[in-house]
Amino acid sequence: MPRLQAYDNGLDCFADTYTLLLSNLGIDARVLGDDWGYRYVAAQPGSEAPFMRLRINRHSYGEAISRWYGIDERRITHPGMDALWEHVRHTLDDGRHVALQVDTFAYPPSLFHQRIHHLHRVVVTDLRPGAVYVLDELPGRPFRGWMETDGLTAAIGSQALAEHFTAVGGSHCSVDLPRPAAVAPPSTAALRAALVENVEAYLTGSDQPDAPAGRYAADRFLADVREYAGTATAIGDALIVHGVSFFGSLAKQRRQNAFFIELVGDRAGVDLTEVADRFRALSERLDKLRAVFFFGASAGRRPREHLGRLTDRLAEAFAEERDCVRRIAGLVR
């Protein structure tokens, strides 16, 4: 299992969380890269902006872990702080790490502290009276150290988490992976089949008007961003946080895809080094777009010009991505 480099973390807190939880159990986390996406979902109230509608993963990370290793995540919404900390203590005593959900608005290390309410996950690896040791790969300002439990109370018990993030546990929520009795590595046939399935789903896709998927979803997304850029008068805080999350998650997933591609290539005896390296380069490109989006939007640049130029660069990245997937298809089909 390869050692993660610093640039492989800090873009998507969910991906980082599950990678750390799996690594803590000595389990290869590269299977989390078994997903290309995309799906473009219908707009819901409060989620009209395109960045809030493009789904990067077809399956959740929890589903991927269950599929490959038969481990079902344990996600608990606790009745209060006392119950949560007791569960954390019990999990750590068993030698396992545990993830906690926090609200960025009340979480001091976040760039969005006292500014934007949004879900973030951190991993706790140790506990002592009144404090926990936190691993948090924040973009640009990773944090590893002790934090007072009282200082985390507002972030963990946030009413915003309880109201808007119930689908993933809401407030007072912890996530851990039960220790399996035994773990069998994925078979070579299953790994190769998964790669082929991803390639075909991406390239074939679906151009249904109400539910485009694969490359068609990416095309629809770009068209809608261009339309949005032409009508929006300002880029508000809600769109900023969702845009940053989108670019970060996409960049992170392409890095994980590179690991998965290498895993399949090594096991199947196929040289996929070139495409894995291209996926890493693509990830770095998308990460730069994340920074461009954030700083430009935070500076109050006009949506038409800022999002317009950003969409042009994202379209180029998607074209490179599509060419990479076609290259994989030629090597593994």
Side-chain angles (χ1 to χ4, degrees), residues 4 9 12-32 57 59-66 69 71-75 97-99 101 121-123 168 173-178 252 256:
L4 292 177
N9 292 324
D12 179 358
C13 63
F14 272 57
D16 290 340
T17 292
Y18 289 107
T19 296
L20 289 169
L21 295 181
L22 284 171
S23 299
N24 172 235
L25 295 176
I27 298 173
D28 196 332
R30 287 180 290 177
V31 296
L32 297 181
N57 296 10
H59 312 97
S60 71
Y61 293 119
E63 290 168 344
I65 293 169
S66 179
Y69 295 121
I71 302 172
D72 293 323
E73 68 171 344
R74 180 163 46 195
R75 186 175 65 204
H97 296 169
V98 58
Q101 296 190 165
R121 278 187 179 176
V122 301
V123 174
V168 290
C173 179
S174 68
V175 179
D176 64 275
L177 298 179
K252 174 68 175 186
Q256 290 182 289

Side-chain angles (χ1 to χ4, degrees), residues 126-174:
D126 201 359
L127 174 70
R128 69 187 185 193
V132 288
Y133 195 86
V134 172
L135 302 183
D136 186 5
E137 301 292 347
L138 286 162
R141 49 161 67 179
F143 176 84
R144 292 182 174 233
W146 291 96
M147 298 187 71
E148 294 184 359
T149 53
D150 287 348
L152 289 170
T153 298
I156 294 171
S158 162
Q159 187 62 31
L161 294 185
E163 292 177 356
H164 302 295
F165 296 97
T166 56
V168 290
S171 65
H172 300 98
C173 179
S174 68

Side-chain angles (χ1 to χ4, degrees), residues 65-268:
I65 293 169
S66 179
R67 171 188 176 186
W68 288 107
Y69 295 121
I71 302 172
D72 293 323
E73 68 171 344
R74 180 163 46 195
R75 186 175 65 204
I76 304 172
T77 301
H78 302 273
M81 295 302 300
D82 289 344
L84 180 141
W85 292 128
E86 177 60 23
H87 177 72
V88 169
R89 184 195 63 75
H90 177 77
T91 304
L92 295 176
D93 285 348
D94 188 45
R96 294 177 293 115
H97 296 169
V98 58
L100 300 179
Q101 296 190 165
V102 298
D103 179 355
T104 56
F105 185 90
Y107 180 64
S110 174
L111 288 171
F112 303 125
H113 181 236
Q114 297 299 308
R115 179 181 174 190
I116 302 172
H117 291 280
H118 197 65
L119 173 67
H120 182 58
R121 278 187 179 176
V122 301
V123 174
V124 170
T125 65
D126 201 359
L127 174 70
R128 69 187 185 193
V132 288
Y133 195 86
V134 172
L135 302 183
D136 186 5
E137 301 292 347
L138 286 162
R141 49 161 67 179
F143 176 84
R144 292 182 174 233
W146 291 96
M147 298 187 71
E148 294 184 359
T149 53
D150 287 348
L152 289 170
T153 298
I156 294 171
S158 162
Q159 187 62 31
L161 294 185
E163 292 177 356
H164 302 295
F165 296 97
T166 56
V168 290
S171 65
H172 300 98
C173 179
S174 68
V175 179
D176 64 275
L177 298 179
R179 189 184 302 279
V183 173
S187 70
T188 300
L191 289 168
R192 184 165 189 152
L195 184 59
V196 171
E197 178 189 359
N198 265 303
V199 166
E200 292 181 347
Y202 180 97
L203 294 177
T204 303
S206 168
D207 61 353
Q208 294 182 13
D210 57 341
R215 60 189 179 90
Y216 294 102
D219 290 343
R220 181 77 59 79
F221 166 74
L222 289 173
D224 283 358
V225 174
R226 292 190 191 281
E227 182 178 353
Y228 184 88
T231 58
T233 57
I235 303 176
D237 282 351
L239 181 58
I240 290 176
V241 73
H242 283 289
V244 168
S245 178
F246 165 78
F247 281 108
S249 297
L250 182 53
K252 174 68 175 186
Q253 190 64 13
R254 293 302 169 255
R255 292 181 188 185
Q256 290 182 289
N257 294 150
F259 279 121
F260 184 75
I261 290 167
E262 289 176 334
L263 173 63
V264 177
D266 292 344
R267 293 284 297 276

